[in-house]
Amino acid sequence: MKRVQFEHSPIPYLFVAPQLLIIAIFFLWPAGQAVYQSFMLEDAFGLSSQFVWFRNYSDTIFNSSWLHAAWFTAIFSTLVTLLSLGFALLLAVKANEVIRGASTYKTLLMWAYAIAPPVAGLMGNLMFNPLIGDLYHFMNSFGYDFDHKLHEVDAGFVVILISVWKQVSVNFIFFLSGLQGIPKSVTEAATMDCKSPTRRFWTITFPLLAPTTFFLMVTNITYAFFETFGIIDTTTQGAPGGATTTLVYKVFQDGFRGADIGGSSAQSVVLMLVVLVLTVIQFRFIERKVHY
Amino acid sequence: MKLLKKLAVGAVTSMSLMASAAYAQVEIQWWHAMGGHLGEVVEEIAAKYNASQSEYVLVPTYKGGYEDTMTAGIAAFRAKQQPNIIQIFDAGAATIINAKGAIVPVADLLEKYAGGFDSTDYIEGVRYFYADSDGKMIGMPFNSSTPLLYYNKDIFAKVGLDGPPATWEEMEAMAPKLKDAGYQALAQSHSPWIFAENFMSRHNLQLATANNGYDSTDVKILYNNPELRMHWTKVKEWLDKGWYGYYGRGWGDNQDAFVQQKVAMWLGSSGSFGGLTKSAEFKFGAAYLPYWKSIVDEPTSTFIGGAALFAMAGKSEEENKGVADFLKFLTKPEIQYLWHRETGYVPITNAAYEMAKADGYYDSTPDAEIGILQLTQKSGEWTKGYRLGFYVQIREVMYKNFEDILSGKASVDDAFAAIEKDGNALLARFHDTYK
């Protein structure tokens, strides 16, 4: 990233002031509150509180359910990100090659973009309902005893499937516009030099899509970490046995459902640190390989 | 920004104008968690109350589910915007009662402003659940239900079974017949409530130390006992034999299995009666929650579930007077009878129960009486209720471990050891927070 040095004049600060104010009010202040609360044991109604050092952290982080949630979050985010990027890229490349009825394909593939995660979750929940769900019966029709109400892997499959389905169309739009931004002259020159379309894709197209892919990777990880909350809440609610509980969902369960403010604050501080480290890694190590 | 400010100022002025135009009546805010048909009955009761007097205006507001309502109340209290009355469910009772200064006991309010309070007016099964360890009523039981067994009379007749099982032993004898006819015998909604809490009360077993948690927040949970472990060993056996259907944690998902006649018996709430009458396309009956003959010869009464109304602190005397006035209205026999008839929740006063009996309601609808009869069965030392902190999380721990038992991931012994360990850790944390 290039750094621009301003002269020492107050005007630039004035220009960024509104943005800084928004950050301060909507990010720094609540984050500060979370850090403060994470060191306090306070009753839900705020009538008594005491400073307890790291008690909230040791109570809530070092127990099996949090560690399991961390583990699930890692697997879940990786799979959701890779699968939704992979499918979207495949669909975008194929849709880009279609000549007849192209806009119909594209519109249909973008269809799901406007669906909010909780709505996607509700629809998925209906499709996987053990009594009336078509997908549930379809999964069971192969002789495999599919039961996402009791089997961890099946429950994971359900939330990942819905999360990926919801995200593919967003990624598709970006990949498609990325593909259309590649100059014709480059692809034509490549066609003359190389016969294999697969090789052309990996040596020319994919590197040129790298900025789009990097951007989507960052947003998809954020999506998998935070926005899938709505999907989990409307489908498995973290069940069975906490198997599909992500870190964000656990913060919600303990803080909003269970009125444990200190414990959920400690968890959100840790979550904040995890995301911070992830972001640094992404920009430090992966972005270096991206050519704009 | 300017436009927004103008709009806000405008809204505030018009609202205050409206308020002052309301003949200077005192407004009483009531936040509740009753959606759908239940919400309509709440509105009806509020309308009746407002029509009955001119001093106060009761404004009921639906705040979502039980947890949502409690969270909304907590946030509002912290912002000093709390309602006068809030509906808090059984698992949240410890949180609001132990926060010193969040609420005013309803017994005190009624004593002071409504001409006295006598706890013996209330039926025995509901009298103590929301009371303190001396028996003083802190929250007013509102929607009180208790777990019951519902059975499909058509299926029972088809298979040749006479009536519902009174004990789990009888249920086990019926299950193979039902299975042969293509039905699962049993499903249930809310396993922590029915297969843990009420299991303890049904067999008169102690649930937690310190008088089931009423005497202190310094408590240990007693779920890890041989009787409950035996029960869950059986439940897992039933599941493996195809006698028991697990349709997830969702209340409705398990009820649907009964409504769609996949399972012949379903354990739900006495409050489910009204809904079943509308949705079930078959004859069904209600019966007492079964018990293990091998544990007790005669079962004891169950706990009430549901929620209670709490009067929040920090309100003017005038408003508190209104709260007391409304609570007095709410416990009138005719209002309780209306609530009972419309929703299936039990009437909380003896007078209301007598009124329903005198009216012949149970002659025409005998199943509607089962819940209240069960609540007035023989009481025992451990049937009045329990008061445990962070109980929402403890129920989550139970759900987790029960699911681990059912999926075969954990043995019954390991699961109950985990419930004990995690439950006690949560209770210790609650004790340190609220001491």
Side-chain angles (χ1 to χ4, degrees):
Chain A
M1 280 199 286
K2 290 180 197 128
R3 289 201 166 79
V4 181
Q5 198 73 45
F6 286 110
E7 286 173 35
H8 292 287
S9 150
I11 294 172
Y13 295 104
L14 273 176
F15 282 131
V16 294
Q19 181 66 30
L20 287 179
L21 196 69
I22 288 171
I23 290 176
I25 293 175
F26 291 104
F27 182 73
L28 294 180
W29 185 47
Q33 278 284 321
V35 172
Y36 168 77
Q37 289 290 352
S38 73
F39 291 104
M40 309 295 282
L41 262 191
E42 183 173 299
D43 73 87
F45 292 86
L47 294 163
S48 69
S49 69
Q50 47 186 320
F51 182 75
V52 288
W53 288 106
F54 291 94
R55 161 101 192 250
N56 289 323
Y57 291 88
S58 60
D59 277 3
T60 53
I61 306 298
F62 299 108
N63 71 44
S64 59
S65 61
W66 191 88
L67 293 172
H68 187 282
W71 175 233
F72 177 72
T73 309
I75 299 175
F76 175 76
S77 321
T78 312
L79 284 177
V80 168
T81 306
L82 288 180
L83 290 173
S84 56
L85 285 179
F87 279 119
L89 183 59
L90 183 73
L91 289 170
V93 169
K94 292 297 170 198
N96 200 31
E97 286 166 4
V98 172
I99 296 164
R100 244 203 285 172
S103 56
T104 314
Y105 279 111
K106 289 170 194 168
T107 313
L108 287 177
L109 284 167
M110 290 176 198
W111 209 247
Y113 173 64
I115 295 172
V119 180
L122 277 177
M123 294 194 305
N125 204 29
L126 274 181
M127 287 193 270
F128 281 102
N129 183 300
L131 294 166
I132 53 162
D134 291 332
L135 277 178
Y136 178 85
H137 294 304
F138 175 76
M139 297 298 292
N140 270 299
S141 63
F142 301 106
Y144 168 67
D145 178 24
F146 179 88
D147 184 2
H148 61 295
K149 301 285 185 187
L150 277 183
H151 299 158
E152 295 188 349
V153 177
D154 299 353
F157 172 79
V158 169
V159 285
I160 289 172
L161 180 78
I162 300 169
S163 306
V164 169
W165 174 78
K166 154 81 190 82
Q167 192 64 5
V168 158
S169 55
V170 183
N171 296 343
F172 172 78
I173 295 170
F174 279 94
F175 274 132
L176 191 66
S177 62
L179 284 169
Q180 287 168 347
I182 296 173
K184 270 262 175 317
S185 54
V186 177
T187 42
E188 272 166 17
T191 319
M192 276 188 253
D193 288 339
C194 172
K195 244 167 66 176
S196 157
T198 325
R199 183 129 182 257
R200 280 204 311 270
F201 174 78
W202 287 115
T203 49
I204 305 292
T205 316
F206 190 69
L208 285 171
L209 274 180
T212 312
T213 313
F214 178 70
F215 165 78
L216 285 178
M217 196 188 78
V218 174
T219 50
N220 275 262
I221 288 177
T222 319
Y223 164 79
F225 257 79
F226 297 100
E227 281 175 66
T228 50
F229 170 87
I231 292 172
I232 290 168
D233 193 45
T234 46
T235 52
T236 61
Q237 299 192 313
T244 57
T245 306
T246 55
L247 290 175
V248 174
Y249 198 68
K250 187 144 174 50
V251 169
F252 166 76
Q253 277 184 328
D254 289 351
F256 284 80
R257 291 263 131 110
D260 180 1
I261 294 169
S264 66
S265 296
Q267 291 176 42
S268 37
V269 170
V270 172
L271 186 60
M272 202 148 68
L273 293 175
V274 169
V275 174
L276 199 71
V277 169
L278 265 181
T279 314
V280 169
I281 292 175
Q282 285 168 354
F283 279 91
R284 272 281 156 102
F285 301 103
I286 303 178
E287 208 205 11
R288 277 194 191 161
K289 300 193 173 139
V290 174
H291 302 281
Y292 289 95
Chain B
M1 289 301 262
K2 235 184 184 164
L3 180 71
L4 273 178
K5 200 176 165 188
K6 270 187 188 163
L7 278 175
V9 170
V12 168
T13 14
S14 60
M15 262 159 67
S16 51
L17 277 175
M18 268 159 65
S20 58
Y23 314 108
Q25 284 176 313
V26 179
E27 199 176 278
I28 307 295
Q29 290 288 341
W30 175 18
W31 287 5
H32 65 87
M34 304 274 88
H37 176 62
L38 300 175
E40 287 165 22
V41 187
V42 164
E43 296 284 341
E44 191 185 334
I45 290 176
K48 274 186 194 297
Y49 174 68
N50 288 334
S52 75
Q53 46 76 47
S54 55
E55 248 178 291
Y56 311 102
V57 187
L58 182 73
V59 185
T61 311
Y62 174 59
K63 283 283 165 182
Y66 285 142
E67 288 100 338
D68 303 316
T69 305
M70 185 163 97
T71 309
I74 287 169
F77 187 88
R78 295 179 81 104
K80 300 194 168 36
Q81 302 284 322
Q82 69 271 33
N84 299 89
I85 305 171
I86 188 161
Q87 185 185 5
I88 299 286
F89 67 137
D90 47 7
T95 303
I96 193 162
I97 291 175
N98 285 302
K100 285 165 195 72
I103 45 162
V104 186
V106 290
D108 289 352
L109 277 183
L110 287 168
E111 191 79 52
K112 199 166 165 194
Y113 300 118
F117 172 81
D118 185 0
S119 74
T120 55
D121 290 346
Y122 297 82
I123 67 165
E124 204 173 328
V126 307
R127 209 180 285 165
Y128 300 111
F129 196 92
Y130 299 100
D132 64 12
S133 62
D134 300 326
K136 178 161 105 181
M137 207 182 261
I138 309 292
M140 169 73 69
F142 176 53
N143 55 321
S144 303
S145 56
T146 204
L148 293 183
L149 175 100
Y150 291 94
Y151 65 105
N152 185 320
K153 284 184 175 166
D154 292 355
I155 294 179
F156 268 54
K158 196 169 114 189
V159 179
L161 294 168
D162 296 333
T167 63
W168 290 122
E169 283 90 347
E170 286 175 30
M171 198 288 290
E172 288 187 315
M174 294 174 177
K177 275 190 188 170
L178 291 163
K179 197 194 170 188
D180 289 345
Y183 301 103
Q184 281 172 334
L186 183 74
Q188 57 112 29
S189 296
H190 211 320
S191 46
W193 185 51
I194 301 178
F195 276 180
E197 292 147 29
N198 279 288
F199 180 91
M200 305 301 274
S201 134
R202 198 81 180 124
H203 300 95
N204 198 23
L205 298 165
Q206 189 176 359
L207 195 154
T209 59
N211 187 20
N212 272 6
Y214 280 99
D215 290 350
S216 160
T217 50
D218 187 10
V219 287
K220 297 259 183 292
I221 210 156
L222 299 173
Y223 280 136
N224 192 5
N225 62 65
E227 288 86 1
L228 196 51
R229 286 199 303 267
M230 178 279 282
H231 181 69
W232 275 93
T233 310
K234 288 288 192 179
V235 174
K236 169 69 173 154
E237 270 176 41
W238 298 343
L239 181 87
D240 292 344
K241 286 179 180 159
W243 296 356
Y244 180 76
Y246 184 71
Y247 294 86
R249 293 183 190 187
W251 182 284
D253 295 336
N254 292 285
Q255 185 171 346
D256 286 348
F258 178 69
V259 170
Q260 295 182 22
Q261 313 205 49
K262 281 237 168 188
V263 296
M265 289 175 269
W266 169 67
L267 300 173
S269 150
S270 56
S272 313
F273 184 75
L276 279 180
T277 316
K278 290 192 180 70
S279 57
E281 290 168 344
F282 51 87
K283 277 203 218 93
F284 69 90
Y288 293 142
L289 179 68
Y291 61 97
W292 286 102
K293 191 92 184 155
S294 60
I295 301 176
V296 284
D297 277 333
E298 194 192 341
T300 38
S301 71
T302 43
F303 293 143
I304 50 166
L309 301 184
F310 287 88
M312 298 203 81
K315 292 293 180 184
S316 70
E317 180 151 350
E318 217 181 359
E319 289 179 26
N320 283 341
K321 239 182 192 167
V323 171
D325 192 57
F326 168 65
L327 291 177
K328 197 179 164 193
F329 175 84
L330 183 67
T331 47
K332 277 186 177 176
E334 56 271 27
I335 299 300
Q336 281 298 315
Y337 181 32
L338 166 87
W339 179 243
H340 175 45
R341 218 175 37 224
E342 284 293 316
T343 63
Y345 286 118
V346 299
I348 58 168
T349 61
N350 293 316
Y353 180 37
E354 293 304 325
M355 181 182 246
K357 273 201 273 196
D359 195 38
Y361 178 49
Y362 304 127
D363 299 331
S364 56
T365 343
D367 287 336
E369 197 182 6
I370 306 290
I372 189 163
L373 285 175
Q374 182 171 291
L375 282 171
T376 44
Q377 275 184 325
K378 191 180 83 169
S379 61
E381 202 179 345
W382 307 113
T383 58
K384 68 173 190 175
Y386 62 90
R387 171 89 28 88
L388 296 175
F390 285 150
Y391 202 68
V392 175
Q393 286 95 317
I394 294 178
R395 276 186 174 166
E396 184 66 31
V397 167
M398 282 195 268
Y399 263 129
K400 175 196 181 315
N401 286 287
F402 292 161
E403 279 168 347
D404 285 350
I405 292 174
L406 294 178
S407 68
K409 198 183 157 198
S411 71
V412 172
D413 287 353
D414 290 350
F416 274 92
I419 289 173
E420 185 174 27
K421 180 174 161 273
D422 292 354
N424 283 338
L426 284 162
L427 288 169
R429 204 176 142 69
F430 187 84
H431 173 61
D432 290 342
T433 310
Y434 286 82
K435 68 182 167 193

